[in-house]
Amino acid sequence: MDQGENVTQQADDLAEPDAAAGSQAPAGADGAAELDVTASDVTVPNIAAPDVTAEAVADEAGFEDMHDAGRMSTAPRADSFVAVPRLGATELLRWMWRQLTSMRIALTLLFLLSVAAIPGSLLPQREIDPNKVLQFFSAHPGWAPFLDRLQLFDVFESVWFGAIYSLLFVSLIGCILPRSAAHYRAMRGAPPAAPRNLKRLPVHASFRTTAPADEALAAAAKRLKGRRFRSTTGSDAAGNWVSAEKGYLRETGNLLFHLALIGILVAVAIGHFFGFKGARLVTEGTGFCDTVAGYDTLTMGQAVSAADLPPFCIKLNKFSATYQDSGDQFGQPRSFDAYVVYRATPSSPAQNVDVRVNSPITVNGTNVFLEGHGYAPVVTVRDGTGRVVYDGPVTFLGLNANFVSNGAIKVPDAKPRGLGFQGWLLPTAVQLPGSMPTSMFPAAQNPELILAAYAGDLGMDGSGSQSVYTLDVSKMTQLDVKSKTNPAAGNALELAVGQSAALPNGLGSITFDGVKQWAQFNIAYDPGQPIALGSAVAAVLGLLGSLGIRRRRIWVRVTEQTDGTRLIEVAGLARTEGATPTAEVTETAEALAGRLTVVSEDVVSEDAVPEGAASDEAKSDEAAPDDTSTVGDAPSAELPRQQRTSTPRTGASA
């Protein structure tokens, strides 16, 4: 049951006198009655106490165990036990369901989900950037396999993340649906009946009138309906009343926010089952088509097959990157532009577009993002027979901000022995005397290629998989290519653009022809995106409604008095903490007083005071009645009703 539904009963309990105590009026709440008890009013008989031992008291009370030195103990006996009812399978399942659908567990699961997403933002993810995962493995060969076993490079596809996600989904549904049904019944039901004693509520106002009770009730109902309160009328032994309530949209906003969270989870699930994500690295002058074989990595939902991939093709004509070339931010990136041409279908006309960071293109409902870039040195390799066995770009991966890049060149078909090169590309090479060259700027202004040469079996016979960026030298022999002019270079080739180097023992040669750039595109199709967007908007609107709307109740009671007048009481109670409707109660009372004929001696201007101060205020009024200014001092008959300003007696408690 909603806690707020008991507010009327609580107000009635406050208003009812304590029958057991025999009191005739509530004491201490508004100063109406006080119970003054002094010591002389009570007679305590002098009864001689018999000689009672602690053991006798213990026997009489049922305690058998005693502490040392004759002290009694309330601790249970050693052989005592508490009978706990056994839980059957049905009761155990019901208890587990109640725990799972509690707000405490829902908040805990939401917190765990946010914590579980942290590794996905700190560690590279395969579905987003597989190249960075490979770089992490190269940089941390000890930690990377352990983290991979924990699925930390596939966080959002992991078993443990899916378990938290599923439990949160079930918990939210089990929590929201019953609340939605209860809120629907509350919105269709009538406001609760008025409490019998409105003075005990946190804020109230009252005045007397000679107008008929029906006229007062009609005026109150019209006033509250005009203020968009849902109202109803009724009567009881104490008199007639009008009950009104407002602010149902607060709970509606709260439920909307939580339903929007469910909508976001549903959108993620739809994207997971009916969407796909892939990545492809494309070098300038090359392209790919949207087929399973065209991707470097591809993750398809359970409901997606190869035939569902849209048939578009993309070609990278040119990639351009600019960097800050002076000042404090020297070398910082400024722009990235991938100039591509694509066809939505094989028969569609070609379209030229510029793909930028955070500005994807959409082809057949599929988004194509620019995710990363790097360099690919162009080399020509000849074997010992003089035959060209490799000619083209080789993808290297950047290692730092200046794009010092690492990669491998593999030529297994060279004769008489297979050739392999492992090395580094320096986009803007500088060399200090006696040291290895390095790169001082990320743009390719003075590229240089440094390679270690190997000959032998590259292990590419299909017996196992290996990275295209590293060279397996376990079955190869390193060739002696030491530089005679620069001993600091070690056993490696140093090639500028256009330079060639012959390999020892007549094994062939390699030429550094130039540098091209590559761009990595992430391709993603997510049919749950519109649902996620709508749910996010609904969550914001629901949160605004939940935080900005106050739910409160107003009651107006008309009670017949012995002198023929009627007492009009207005009181309010908020169902939101810290939102006592003092202003609305006062405005309602003043509006009714302006419409009805008010008995002048009871129309007293008085500030709203805390309930505990009502008694002191009454004493002050009795001591100095002439100091209280009242509008009723002026004869009401001399002023038209619309010109009279009547302020009812009000009271409020914090």
Side-chain angles (χ1 to χ4, degrees):
M1 181 184 294
D2 190 352
Q3 183 180 1
E5 298 298 333
N6 297 326
V7 65
T8 305
Q9 183 62 35
Q10 295 173 2
D12 291 342
D13 294 341
L14 288 173
E16 286 296 317
D18 189 356
S23 59
Q24 300 300 322
D30 55 1
E34 296 286 340
L35 183 61
D36 187 10
V37 180
T38 61
S40 60
D41 295 332
V42 181
T43 302
V44 181
N46 186 10
I47 302 176
D51 186 10
V52 181
T53 64
E55 289 79 1
V57 174
D59 292 339
E60 184 68 20
F63 296 105
E64 298 181 3
D65 297 335
M66 304 291 296
H67 281 305
D68 295 338
R71 291 181 297 172
M72 292 187 298
S73 172
T74 58
R77 294 179 358 185
D79 59 348
S80 64
F81 66 95
V82 178
V84 179
R86 297 181 59 185
L87 293 179
T90 304
E91 290 76 11
L92 180 61
L93 291 176
R94 184 182 295 112
W95 177 83
M96 294 175 62
W97 174 254
R98 289 177 177 174
Q99 294 299 315
L100 180 60
T101 57
S102 65
M103 185 60 66
R104 180 182 68 257
I105 297 299
L107 293 175
T108 301
L109 291 173
L110 189 61
F111 173 75
L112 289 178
L113 191 69
S114 61
V115 172
I118 293 177
S121 60
L122 298 179
L123 297 175
Q125 301 296 297
R126 283 194 177 92
E127 64 176 354
I128 298 177
D129 195 343
N131 294 326
K132 289 185 178 179
V133 176
L134 294 176
Q135 295 177 25
F136 190 91
F137 269 80
S138 300
H140 306 86
W143 276 101
F146 174 74
L147 298 177
D148 195 21
R149 285 194 294 269
L150 297 178
Q151 298 180 297
L152 293 181
F153 298 110
D154 302 280
V155 169
F156 305 107
E157 302 290 335
S158 63
V159 175
W160 47 271
F161 189 88
I164 299 174
Y165 172 90
S166 301
L167 287 175
L168 178 61
F169 186 81
V170 174
S171 178
L172 286 176
I173 292 179
C175 180
I176 295 303
L177 292 183
R179 287 183 58 186
S180 299
H183 180 56
Y184 176 77
R185 291 191 298 267
M187 292 187 66
R188 292 184 60 86
R196 285 182 288 274
N197 192 346
L198 297 183
K199 291 184 178 180
R200 302 302 302 272
L201 296 182
V203 59
H204 65 276
S206 63
F207 64 93
R208 293 193 180 189
T209 181
T210 58
D214 294 341
E215 180 182 352
L217 291 175
K222 182 178 180 180
R223 162 72 184 183
L224 293 173
K225 288 182 179 179
R227 305 290 292 181
R228 296 188 300 277
F229 278 84
R230 179 181 298 175
S231 62
T232 185
T233 59
S235 61
D236 51 29
N240 300 326
W241 46 262
V242 176
S243 177
E245 188 167 357
K246 186 178 181 180
Y248 291 94
L249 291 180
R250 174 184 175 84
E251 180 66 10
T252 302
N254 191 12
L255 294 175
L256 179 62
F257 173 76
H258 289 85
L259 289 174
L261 294 182
I262 296 179
I264 293 176
L265 295 179
V266 170
V268 174
I270 291 176
H272 181 77
F273 281 96
F274 299 97
F276 65 88
K277 296 179 180 179
R280 175 58 191 263
L281 190 149
V282 183
T283 307
E284 290 177 325
T286 63
F288 79 100
C289 292
D290 190 22
T291 61
V292 174
Y295 285 93
D296 294 330
T297 60
L298 177 62
T299 302
M300 295 190 298
Q302 286 79 349
V304 180
S305 63
D308 297 324
L309 299 178
F312 65 86
C313 294
I314 294 179
K315 179 182 178 182
L316 177 62
N317 289 332
K318 180 182 178 182
F319 184 86
S320 175
T322 60
Y323 306 90
Q324 183 76 24
D325 57 5
S326 63
D328 296 336
Q329 296 184 346
F330 178 79
Q332 294 298 312
R334 287 295 172 258
S335 66
F336 302 102
D337 296 271
Y339 300 98
V340 304
V341 56
Y342 74 91
R343 296 178 183 270
T345 61
S347 59
S348 299
Q351 300 186 46
N352 293 284
V353 294
D354 178 9
V355 184
R356 300 179 179 179
V357 178
N358 297 326
S359 297
I361 61 173
T362 302
V363 185
N364 297 335
T366 304
N367 294 323
V368 180
F369 299 86
L370 176 61
E371 185 65 28
H373 77 103
Y375 292 102
V378 181
V379 298
T380 299
V381 180
R382 290 178 171 84
D383 62 6
T385 64
R387 179 173 58 96
V388 176
V389 289
Y390 186 85
D391 182 14
V394 182
T395 301
F396 277 37
L397 296 179
L399 301 178
N400 55 26
N402 287 328
F403 276 89
V404 174
S405 304
N406 174 260
I409 303 172
K410 303 179 182 182
V411 190
D413 298 331
K415 302 296 182 181
R417 302 173 65 186
L419 299 176
F421 304 88
Q422 182 79 52
W424 294 264
L425 173 67
L426 310 177
T428 303
V430 294
Q431 184 171 4
L432 299 177
S435 64
M436 287 289 292
T438 186
S439 178
M440 62 172 296
F441 195 69
Q445 296 180 352
N446 181 33
E448 184 173 318
L449 191 60
I450 301 177
L451 298 173
Y454 297 85
D457 184 6
L458 279 73
M460 300 178 63
D461 54 359
S463 59
S465 61
Q466 58 179 257
S467 172
V468 297
Y469 305 105
T470 59
L471 187 66
D472 183 6
V473 298
S474 59
K475 299 180 181 180
M476 303 187 75
T477 302
Q478 186 174 5
L479 302 179
D480 185 7
V481 292
K482 294 180 180 178
S483 174
K484 297 179 180 180
T485 60
N486 184 17
N491 191 15
L493 299 172
E494 293 187 15
L495 300 176
V497 175
Q499 289 184 342
S500 298
L503 302 177
N505 304 323
L507 294 177
S509 64
I510 182 171
T511 303
F512 182 25
D513 298 320
V515 175
K516 289 187 176 182
Q517 296 192 77
W518 57 260
Q520 178 177 310
F521 295 100
N522 281 3
I523 297 91
Y525 172 68
D526 188 357
Q529 281 187 345
I531 301 176
L533 177 60
S535 299
V537 174
V540 173
L541 294 177
L543 188 62
L544 291 176
S546 177
L547 297 177
I549 299 175
R550 300 176 297 113
R551 190 170 178 180
R552 60 272 193 202
R553 290 171 176 169
I554 301 289
W555 291 284
V556 179
R557 178 177 286 278
V558 181
T559 306
E560 296 289 343
Q561 303 298 301
T562 57
D563 58 358
T565 61
R566 275 148 292 280
L567 176 64
I568 309 298
E569 295 178 289
V570 184
L573 187 65
R575 297 191 61 186
T576 305
E577 184 178 357
T580 303
T582 305
E584 289 180 311
V585 169
T586 303
E587 292 173 0
T588 300
E590 291 178 348
L592 293 178
R595 295 175 58 89
L596 303 175
T597 304
V598 178
V599 179
S600 59
E601 58 268 18
D602 288 336
V603 182
V604 181
S605 176
E606 181 178 349
D607 294 334
V609 296
E611 186 177 344
S615 178
D616 295 338
E617 185 180 355
K619 295 178 181 179
S620 176
D621 291 342
E622 293 176 1
D626 295 337
D627 294 339
T628 303
S629 60
T630 64
V631 178
D633 292 341
S636 60
E638 297 180 1
L639 293 175
R641 178 176 298 181
Q642 61 270 22
Q643 296 181 6
R644 283 185 252 146
T645 58
S646 302
T647 304
R649 182 179 298 273
T650 61
S653 62

